[in-house]
Amino acid sequence: MAKASRPYQIFAKPIGAACNLRCDYCYYLEKALYADEGNIRMPDDVLEEFIVQHIQTTPDPVVLFSWHGGEPTLLGLDYFQKIVGLQRKHQPVHRRIVNGIQTNGTLLNEEWCRFLAAEGFGVGISLDGPEHLHDGHRLTRGGEPTHRQAMRGYDLLARHGVPCDVLCVVHALNVQKPIEVYRFFKQIKASYIGFLPLVEALPDEDGSVSPRTAPSELFGDFLCTIFDEWAAQDIGQVRIQIFEEAAGAALGRDHALCIFKKTCGDVPVIERNGDFFSCDHFVNKEHLIGNIRETPLADLLDDPRQRAFGRIKWDTLPRYCCECEVLLLCHGGCPKDRILRTPDGEAGLNYLCAGYKRFFTHCRPFLDQLSGLRSRESLEPPKTTRPAMPTRTDRKVGRNDQCPCGSGRKYKKCCMGK
């Protein structure tokens, strides 16, 4: 099977939208095309086909599997043991397989954590801050709070030494409490935090959003406030995704996060029946590209429709964005959030524009320092093992003496006459 023409990351959803919680901001439930089929697992033959194709198609030496839902732990530990078994069965020599799983943490127990630790899984866990902020939206099907169960899972992961990233949805409640949220994460020793702003566009298409949505300007203030404390106290101790994205751009690196890339389309979705969709936020019939049982994964990734989906992000960027001083830091953000009009009336402005501009402008002095360091390093002459020749010596150096430059050679065969 052919390799993909470029790096990619697939969100595999072997249980679809099935979840034990009913977080009231969950965007995935409304996109579930297979809800009438019940909470079924991805069939074994489809699972194995996906694993085989993903291993064969990935162009990198490390093959990353990203397991999402819904809530993937509902599949049961036996299903993930099967996943690991199939990966070992098909793993080529000299290639490494890494697994990541995104979970709400409430179903984790000792057995789960022993398995995740033994198999080297990385875990992303959803936490929206301290209890009263987390429980504002992340509830059970019966409307009960979930923070204590999620923290029990988080603590179990820490006890077993499982690498754990925190994913924090920033909504209208916690966006007003940046220091409280950030210090809570520091208190629980979170080492990597991703802040995901909630944007729920209302169907009237006039740019209005739900009351749960974090106001754009407040989201910018949220990031600025946390950035100031992080820059003063926590550089090297806490990693924050959006800060790393900004720093990487200042150092001349390409964005890793799809929402800030110039084009997108490299993070598609495989549903539990093998259907391939353009993006996690576009799981709908219009963005169904094909099925891995009928079309090779490499062909789906390079399908003209998938390529067009990725390019449209840049091709439809408003002139207002193209002329923006922070364009290279955000590239217009995620297309799903481009629901506003620019000041001159052009469609396609990101709802989060004001917040992003506020934050990226605020941290610009820090980024300029990074960029300056990079520039100075690139202009420095290459270091040699031989130090510069001294301008004077305390005694006259004879032609057969050891050269004072430190080379270890005789003066006449080294720096004499230079």
Side-chain angles (χ1 to χ4, degrees):
M1 181 176 293
K3 299 286 186 190
S5 62
R6 64 194 187 282
Y8 66 92
Q9 179 185 5
I10 286 183
F11 282 3
K13 301 197 174 230
I15 202 168
C19 187
N20 61 317
L21 306 187
R22 273 295 180 269
C23 304
D24 59 17
Y25 56 52
C26 180
Y27 66 88
Y28 196 56
L29 288 175
E30 67 183 30
K31 300 180 185 301
L33 301 181
Y34 316 106
D36 57 340
E37 297 178 6
N39 294 348
I40 63 171
R41 301 174 170 191
M42 178 182 282
D44 290 353
D45 61 328
V46 178
L47 176 66
E48 185 164 14
E49 184 66 27
F50 166 61
I51 289 172
V52 169
Q53 290 200 38
H54 186 41
I55 291 172
Q56 293 177 348
T57 304
T58 299
D60 302 317
V62 176
V63 184
L64 172 63
F65 284 86
S66 299
W67 304 103
H68 286 245
E71 175 49 46
T73 59
L74 277 176
L75 289 159
L77 184 54
D78 65 312
Y79 194 87
F80 277 85
Q81 290 169 334
K82 181 188 302 177
I83 285 173
V84 170
L86 289 170
Q87 290 172 339
R88 289 196 178 115
K89 175 182 174 182
H90 297 288
Q91 182 175 2
V93 179
H94 306 310
R95 299 199 72 188
R96 183 175 168 225
I97 291 177
V98 175
N99 286 287
I101 183 172
Q102 182 66 38
T103 177
N104 59 44
T106 61
L107 300 178
L108 295 176
N109 55 28
E110 291 281 351
E111 189 178 11
W112 259 110
C113 292
R114 281 194 297 268
F115 167 80
L116 295 170
E119 299 298 340
F121 272 64
V123 177
I125 191 165
S126 298
L127 291 169
D128 288 357
E131 188 170 2
H132 67 286
L133 296 176
H134 175 98
D135 288 339
H137 295 298
R138 300 190 63 81
L139 306 171
T140 67
R141 291 171 176 267
E144 297 298 319
T146 64
H147 188 266
R148 292 185 182 182
Q149 296 97 309
M151 282 305 303
R152 178 180 53 79
Y154 178 85
D155 291 340
L156 279 171
L157 291 168
R159 194 181 312 156
H160 285 269
V162 178
C164 188
D165 299 345
V166 168
L167 177 64
C168 173
V169 175
V170 183
H171 44 71
L173 296 177
N174 58 8
V175 75
Q176 304 176 60
K177 306 286 185 180
I179 291 298
E180 185 177 357
V181 169
Y182 181 51
R183 290 181 181 172
F184 168 77
F185 290 140
K186 289 202 292 183
Q187 177 189 336
I188 65 172
K189 296 181 170 55
S191 59
Y192 187 91
I193 308 166
F195 290 118
L196 178 65
L198 176 65
V199 180
E200 291 181 323
L202 296 179
D204 52 20
E205 299 183 357
D206 66 350
S208 57
V209 294
S210 74
R212 290 188 290 257
T213 296
S216 180
E217 294 83 358
L218 281 183
F219 178 61
D221 292 340
F222 176 92
L223 293 175
C224 292
T225 302
I226 293 175
F227 177 83
D228 288 345
E229 179 156 325
W230 173 83
Q233 302 177 14
D234 303 316
I235 294 177
Q237 304 299 315
V238 181
R239 296 172 58 199
I240 297 178
Q241 187 179 48
I242 191 171
F243 299 173
E244 291 197 345
E245 287 293 317
L251 293 171
R253 297 196 293 263
D254 291 335
H255 283 291
L257 190 60
C258 62
I259 63 173
F260 295 140
K261 289 184 176 183
K262 183 176 179 178
T263 59
C264 56
D266 296 333
V267 190
V269 166
I270 294 288
E271 277 287 348
R272 63 193 186 201
N273 67 345
D275 281 348
F276 177 104
F277 290 89
S278 295
C279 169
D280 190 32
H281 291 284
F282 292 86
V283 177
N284 51 44
K285 293 179 180 178
E286 292 75 20
H287 294 90
L288 172 61
I289 305 300
N291 189 289
I292 60 170
R293 293 175 298 178
E294 302 162 355
T295 307
L297 183 55
D299 292 345
L300 293 169
L301 289 162
D302 282 332
D303 187 285
R305 292 168 294 173
Q306 184 68 6
R307 290 288 199 173
F309 173 82
R311 288 193 305 270
I312 200 170
K313 176 180 180 179
W314 178 254
D315 292 344
T316 61
L317 197 64
R319 185 180 64 180
Y320 178 81
C321 296
C322 294
E323 297 172 351
C324 179
E325 63 272 16
V326 298
L327 171 64
L328 297 181
L329 293 171
C330 91
H331 285 116
C334 183
K336 78 175 181 64
D337 298 329
R338 293 182 179 178
I339 60 175
L340 301 181
R341 291 187 175 273
T342 65
D344 58 2
E346 188 177 0
L349 182 66
N350 197 302
Y351 170 81
L352 295 166
C353 173
Y356 283 144
K357 186 176 288 188
R358 166 97 169 87
F359 167 67
F360 289 130
T361 302
H362 178 77
C363 70
R364 178 59 68 85
F366 176 84
L367 301 181
D368 288 344
Q369 287 183 9
L370 287 181
S371 181
L373 286 172
R374 174 174 173 262
S375 298
R376 285 197 295 274
E377 288 174 358
S378 67
L379 291 173
E380 286 179 358
K383 291 184 172 65
T384 64
T385 57
R386 191 176 79 180
M389 184 177 174
T391 56
R392 62 173 295 275
T393 61
D394 292 333
R395 64 178 179 84
K396 185 176 179 179
V397 181
R399 57 185 286 112
N400 290 315
D401 289 341
Q402 188 175 30
C403 188
C405 77
S407 68
R409 303 170 64 196
K410 288 185 177 180
Y411 181 44
K412 65 182 179 182
K413 298 222 181 256
C414 190
C415 293
M416 182 179 171
K418 293 183 182 179

